[in-house]
Structures are given as structure tokens and as C-alpha cells.
Amino acid sequence: MRDKKLTAFTLGGTIFISWMVLNTFVSSNCGLNLVILALLAGFVQFLHIPPVHHSRFGENIMSLLTVEKGNRKKNTIFHKAGAAHAPENTMEAVKEAIKRGIPAIEIDLSFTKDGHGVLLHGPKIDDSTDGTGFVHDKTLEELKTLNAAAKFPHKDKYSTALIPTLDECVEECIKNDIVIFFDCKADPQKTATLLIALYQKFPVLYRLGIVCSFYPQIIYNLRQKDSNIITALTHRNFVLEQLGSGEARNKEMWKRLVSPILDHLLIWAHGYLFWYICGNSFFLLDQGAISGDTKRYWEKLGIHVVAWTVNDQQEKNHLIDNLGVPVITDGLTD
């Protein structure tokens, strides 16, 4: 249940910070500043999309959020469908998750040159297949000729695998009542169009699907078009400055200079603004940023915290047993 006082306090803090910035750097005219702040507050309220009410969450999603001592699997989400057990983002991984009794998976959505949704982390195909280049430069037919198990270390178990379409994955998950976290990284318009069509084709996704992204514009664009879809913002520090591997994201000098500033603004906005504007129900946080206080803060705002990507068993135990936080992980410790 959302704490209205905390929501008002958080948004009020944002307005106060804006007031300080205006007074310090923009104008000393008190009347003008009040007008600007009033317009800002009105604009935020105008943009705000109400979140999906918890009563409309499916039983599987609610179960994922409920800790049951001695059964950590029920609070476990397989990253890339279970990259430790099978080639990432493949049907083989999805089936491994089902076989192991995992209730939820996270998958990466990418787009082909001819507009199909496929399971690939992207933007390059080099990391997980025997191909080279960018996903968006390949047709579905071209991608289907690649081996999605080319970089999987356990060749004795899986030497070959195909790149699945999004529909193929969704059909298998629905058949087995699996919750799906759709991780979206590219083109807000394409993402919204494809996912809304997918939800209309498979209405059960309204209780089994959660769309997540590092980029608020993707989530906002989707919820503008269909506010019944459950969504999450994903957060890690320096997402605009660095790739997940830690290497620099940008080659242009001006982007390298600007991206650290924008990253700090994004960190601030995630905590004080975007969650409200987008109407998110979940916040996917880097495991190192989660504490009991963090969880309580977000839950008072009506938002559920999920930790990613947690592969240390002791850390998993702590997050699930002590904090009651579901975890995204590459796999189980066999």
C-alpha cells in the first residue's frame, strides 16, 4: 500500500531542491521562482501515470514476493532465463528453469532488422553466438542460422541452440505458469508496439508479465499506451557512462564528458521522480544498494524491490531470508 505522506514528502523534496537550484543559479526573483515551481509541479502531476493496483497482480507474482522459510526457489528469478545452466536467452535455458522449479525468469528483448522480437542481450550478437555484428542489422532468418550456444562453457551439455523469438518463449512460459521479466533496452516506440500486441495476443501476461528497463522513456512510452501493464525501473550506477562489463560505453569525447553528469541526474531522478511519473510497481536494484531501510522506503511508496544479479549463495540467503527481497540470479548452486 502506498504511503501518501511519504509520496508527498518525496515529491516535496524534489520541488524544494528545484527551488534551491532556481534561487542559486537561475533567478533571485521569488515570484518568478514560485511560478516556475508551480508549473513544474503541475507538469509532473500531468505526466503521472497511476500504477497497477496490487489487487490486479497475478497469484504467481504475489507468491514471488512472499518469503517462505526453507523454500528460496519461490523467490528466485533466473537471469537471462538461467545462463548458468544453459545458453543464455534460449529455450533450453527456459526449459532448465521450468525443470528446476523456478517460478520466474528474466529475458532480454532485442529487435531484428525486419522487426521481430528475439531473445538476445544485444546490441551485438558476438557475445553469445558464432556471429558478428549488431542484432538490428540482421533479419530473423539470418539470426536463425546462428548458434546461440557458441559461447556457452559447458559444450558437453549444450553444444548448439537456436535464438528464439519472443513468442516462442512466452508460449512456453504461459504453458508452465512462469512469471516473465521482459528487459527492454532499445527503441521505445518499437518496444511499446510489440509488447502491447503481445499482451493482446496473450492476455494472461497482464498477471504473469513485468516489463523492466534502465531507461524511463521506454517504460513511460509503454504505460502511456497501456497503463494496465506492470512495469519496473532497473537501476545501476553509471549506466550511461559504462556498459555492464565496466568498459566505457561512449567513444565520442563530448559523450564521455557529459555522461557522468547525466548519470548522477539519473540516479537522483530514479529515486525522486521517475518512479512516480512512470507509475512503476517494481524497482530492480543492484544488490549492493539494498538494505532493510532501502526496502522499507520503496515499499512505503508502493514499490517492490528486486535484487540483481546475485550469484553468491550467502548473499542470496541474506536478501531472501532476512530482507524478504526476491533475487535475480544466473542459476542455482548445484
Side-chain angles (χ1 to χ4, degrees), residues 4 30 37 63 90 101 115 118 130 134 148 173 177 222-224 229 236 240 251-252 267 272 289 319:
K4 292 182 179 179
C30 183
L37 288 176
S63 177
T90 62
V118 292
D130 53 353
F134 292 93
C173 289
D177 228 16
L222 175 71
R223 297 207 73 240
Q224 267 190 314
I229 293 176
R236 72 169 168 83
L240 301 178
K251 294 179 180 173
E252 302 92 333
I267 292 168
Y272 290 94
L319 286 162

Side-chain angles (χ1 to χ4, degrees), residues 59-67 73-77 103-104 179 181 210 282 306 324-327:
E59 288 182 13
N60 297 56
I61 292 177
M62 293 306 298
S63 177
L64 190 66
L65 299 169
T66 307
V67 172
K73 275 188 181 181
K74 73 183 295 293
N75 309 111
T76 298
I77 303 147
V179 174
F181 285 76
I210 300 166
F282 287 81
V306 175
V325 173
V327 299

Side-chain angles (χ1 to χ4, degrees), residues 111-123:
F111 293 97
T112 65
K113 185 178 180 179
D114 46 348
H116 293 278
V118 292
L119 271 60
L120 267 172
H121 187 272

Side-chain angles (χ1 to χ4, degrees), residues 88 119-120 124-133 143 146-152 161-163:
E88 65 179 55
L119 271 60
L120 267 172
K124 290 187 174 183
I125 60 177
D126 307 54
D127 293 339
S128 59
T129 78
D130 53 353
T132 59
L143 288 178
L146 302 178
N147 182 10
K151 305 296 169 65
F152 185 62
L162 294 175
I163 296 170

Side-chain angles (χ1 to χ4, degrees), residues 20-227:
M20 296 293 291
V21 170
L22 284 170
N23 278 323
T24 305
F25 298 105
V26 181
S27 171
S28 58
N29 185 320
C30 183
L32 177 60
N33 288 343
L34 285 173
V35 170
I36 294 172
L37 288 176
L39 290 172
L40 175 62
F43 188 59
V44 168
Q45 193 58 36
F46 172 75
L47 292 176
H48 168 61
I49 302 172
V52 176
H53 194 273
H54 288 189
S55 63
R56 291 162 60 194
F57 285 13
E59 288 182 13
N60 297 56
I61 292 177
M62 293 306 298
S63 177
L64 190 66
L65 299 169
T66 307
V67 172
E68 183 181 304
K69 293 291 184 182
N71 185 15
R72 298 189 189 103
K73 275 188 181 181
K74 73 183 295 293
N75 309 111
T76 298
I77 303 147
F78 265 8
H79 184 229
K80 299 179 181 178
H85 301 299
E88 65 179 55
N89 286 310
T90 62
M91 293 307 299
E92 287 77 3
V94 174
K95 290 173 182 177
E96 282 280 353
I98 294 165
K99 183 177 78 174
R100 292 167 187 271
I102 300 302
I105 62 169
E106 179 265 4
I107 55 172
D108 296 293
L109 170 61
S110 290
F111 293 97
T112 65
K113 185 178 180 179
D114 46 348
H116 293 278
V118 292
L119 271 60
L120 267 172
H121 187 272
K124 290 187 174 183
I125 60 177
D126 307 54
D127 293 339
S128 59
T129 78
D130 53 353
T132 59
F134 292 93
V135 183
H136 61 252
D137 289 333
K138 309 290 184 182
T139 64
L140 179 60
E141 186 178 354
E142 289 172 327
L143 288 178
K144 285 292 188 180
T145 67
L146 302 178
N147 182 10
K151 305 296 169 65
F152 185 62
H154 306 297
K155 293 288 190 297
D156 56 324
K157 191 170 184 183
Y158 292 108
S159 58
T160 61
L162 294 175
I163 296 170
T165 64
L166 185 60
D167 280 37
E168 289 170 336
C169 171
V170 166
E171 286 178 355
E172 186 69 21
C173 289
I174 289 173
K175 188 167 69 176
N176 291 277
D177 228 16
I178 301 295
V179 174
I180 313 167
F181 285 76
F182 300 96
D183 188 10
C184 305
K185 303 180 181 70
D187 199 315
Q189 293 295 335
K190 276 187 181 178
T191 298
T193 301
L194 184 142
L195 286 178
I196 289 170
L198 189 75
Y199 273 65
Q200 290 172 349
K201 182 178 179 181
F202 303 108
V204 70
L205 286 175
Y206 285 103
R207 69 172 181 83
L208 283 179
I210 300 166
V211 179
C212 52
S213 181
F214 287 104
Y215 307 105
Q217 67 271 33
I218 290 178
I219 298 299
Y220 188 76
N221 191 66
L222 175 71
R223 297 207 73 240
Q224 267 190 314
K225 294 175 172 57
D226 190 341
S227 61

Side-chain angles (χ1 to χ4, degrees), residues 267-283:
I267 292 168
W268 171 80
H270 266 165
Y272 290 94
L273 201 58
F274 289 146
W275 62 272
Y276 181 75
I277 289 175
C278 293
N280 290 297
S281 302
F282 287 81
F283 198 22

